[in-house]
Amino acid sequence: ANAQGVRGARLLDQLERVTNAAAFAQATATLGARTTVLAGVRHDRVRFAAADRLVTRTDPDDSGARTMAATSPSLGVNLAVGRGVHVYA
């Protein structure tokens, strides 16, 4: 703690780690001379972990971890409407 610039008792001491991994894949298919379909998927995984290094009789171990994951699909169509002009939706 810090009280008007005077160092007080230590209230927190922990080692924190964050790790992340992700994968992405995409495929395209041509439908005629002007149309392309795109499909993709991404998966993310993030893990947060904290190791409590200040454990006492009155302050128990607060270590813990949490993992979050999500998969995100995508789909689109690319249409050539003119020379060098494309519309994507």
Side-chain angles (χ1 to χ4, degrees):
N2 184 333
Q4 299 179 351
V6 177
R7 183 176 288 187
R10 181 181 292 180
L11 301 176
L12 180 68
D13 185 2
Q14 64 186 28
L15 176 64
E16 298 173 353
R17 293 181 189 254
V18 180
T19 55
N20 178 53
F24 177 75
Q26 182 173 323
T28 60
T30 303
L31 304 176
R34 301 178 354 153
T35 307
T36 304
V37 176
L38 299 93
V41 65
R42 178 184 171 108
H43 182 76
D44 290 278
R45 181 180 181 274
V46 182
R47 182 173 190 269
F48 300 89
D52 190 353
R53 300 189 303 189
L54 183 62
V55 179
T56 66
R57 204 177 42 187
T58 58
D59 184 8
D61 189 355
D62 291 321
S63 297
R66 179 173 185 175
T67 301
M68 294 183 283
T71 301
S72 305
S74 63
L75 181 65
V77 177
N78 189 352
L79 177 64
V81 294
R83 184 178 172 155
V85 178
H86 296 259
V87 176
Y88 179 80

